[in-house]
Amino acid sequence: MSDDRHFTPALFAFLRDLDANNDRDWFKANKDRYEQHVKEPALRFVNDFAARLRKISPHFVADSRPVGGSLFRIHRDTRFSKDKTPYKTNTGVHFRHERAKDVHAPGYYLHLDPSGSFGGVGMWRPETAVQRNIREAIADDPAAWKRATRGKRFTEVFSMSQGDDERLKRPPKGFDPDHPLIEDLKLKSFVASTRFTQKQVTAPGFIDEYAAVCRAGTPFTRFLCGAIGVEF
């Protein structure tokens, strides 16, 4: 494993302080902390992850540009939200599929948060036509879906457990209500996640641990890519 350490407890300390002081004046006064302990380490993580990601699949992108790349911006979009606090109190990194600008495609996600960090893989709330493609792929080849989501390595790492609001209340139109995988067919999002402790995130070699998690998601990601017709 690598001895390189990207994230430190200072990242989580900044996010906790931001949660308690979520306003523009405080952020302006503490912007150097954000740059030093959050933004710069996250961009370095993205840059260093690129070679590891290529070994998993050459069709996913690690983009270390400060704006418009894999790192989510810290500013919240408050236009349609009752919550007008200006900043996110977590750090998010999304390694998107190269076709993501054209189609809703799977991706790998890393979420760093004082209240709980996690790694994720898959597609959150894809558009209706894409949902249907995935459901049809599940219904047409349930054995392949089971291999992708019930395999030992996958289930050792990932959980697909989701709340009731992430499933349709009724079977999707056009699908057999008695299908043995009907609960999977009712999913609105096709995602899996695994939790990380702060100790894991701030330890040397976390980038390799995260890469191993992404590799464990390969059967799942490959199935989703095939279902929507993009390369893995």
Side-chain angles (χ1 to χ4, degrees), residues 1 5 15 19 51 66 80 85 89 101 110 123 126 129 148 152 169 185 192 195 211 222 224 228:
M1 293 184 75
R5 191 193 309 263
L15 293 174
D19 189 32
F80 308 107
T85 51
T89 55
K101 290 183 179 178
L110 176 63
M123 304 170 70
K152 185 172 185 291
K169 289 183 171 58
L185 294 171
R195 295 195 173 277
R222 192 190 301 278
L224 294 177
I228 64 170

Side-chain angles (χ1 to χ4, degrees), residues 170-221:
R170 296 180 180 83
K173 188 176 179 180
F175 292 87
D176 180 3
D178 295 322
H179 193 287
L181 293 176
I182 192 60
E183 290 305 311
D184 296 58
L185 294 171
K186 287 160 68 175
L187 288 169
K188 297 178 184 178
S189 297
F190 301 90
V191 294
S193 63
T194 187
R195 295 195 173 277
F196 296 121
T197 64
Q198 182 175 321
K199 185 176 180 181
Q200 285 175 290
V201 171
T202 58
F206 173 67
I207 192 169
D208 295 309
E209 184 174 355
Y210 178 68
V213 162
C214 293
R215 281 195 301 274
T218 291
F220 181 64
T221 314

Side-chain angles (χ1 to χ4, degrees), residues 33-47:
R33 286 178 65 197
Y34 167 69
E35 296 281 345
Q36 180 181 352
H37 299 304
V38 181
K39 186 175 181 179
E40 290 174 7
L43 292 176
R44 187 163 59 86
F45 182 92
V46 171
N47 185 69

Side-chain angles (χ1 to χ4, degrees), residues 74-94:
I74 188 96
H75 301 83
R76 294 182 62 250
D77 183 352
T78 61
R79 290 173 299 172
F80 308 107
S81 174
K82 292 180 181 178
D83 179 1
K84 298 301 181 182
T85 51
Y87 304 105
K88 299 170 187 172
T89 55
N90 59 72
T91 300
V93 175
H94 192 195

